[in-house]
Amino acid sequence: MARISKTGLTRWVLLLFATLCLSGCTASMQAKSNFKEAEQLAAEEKFDQAIEKYAQAVELDPGSKTYRLKLLSARTRAAADHAQKARLLTKQGEFDQALNEYSRARQ
């Protein structure tokens, strides 16, 4: 059996610790990037796309209440937007498209 010196073991532990910290930092940075992109999309009223980015941010940082709240808000606004489009399409007699928009509002 190979013997590892205290110095060698310390180096391995430090290397493992640094690797774990860096991977956590990378996930946090990616979550922030997704969140910023989602904010921009929401400001442009592109709610379906914003939902995808908010969901990615939540997946990377599930403990963030801000990310979760913004995801819920974007889902609510997207549903209202699709419902409004569906009502307009119904008035125009475009029933198939209206049904599609109502279905998207339910998601």
Side-chain angles (χ1 to χ4, degrees), residues 36-78:
K36 287 180 182 180
E37 195 172 338
E39 290 284 276
Q40 181 62 41
L41 290 164
E44 296 170 5
E45 297 186 1
K46 296 177 181 176
F47 301 115
D48 292 329
Q49 294 170 332
I51 289 168
E52 291 176 25
K53 289 296 179 179
Y54 283 129
Q56 290 171 4
V58 168
E59 187 176 320
L60 291 167
D61 188 358
S64 174
K65 292 177 184 176
T66 300
Y67 295 172
R68 289 181 177 276
L69 182 61
K70 290 289 191 157
L71 174 59
L72 180 60
S73 176
R75 284 180 175 158
T76 301
R77 293 182 71 186

Side-chain angles (χ1 to χ4, degrees), residues 77-91:
R77 293 182 71 186
D81 189 44
H82 287 297
Q84 177 63 31
K85 288 177 184 175
R87 285 190 291 275
L88 179 61
L89 289 165
T90 299
K91 287 180 182 179

Side-chain angles (χ1 to χ4, degrees), residues 12 17 47 55 74:
W12 278 106
F17 181 73
F47 301 115

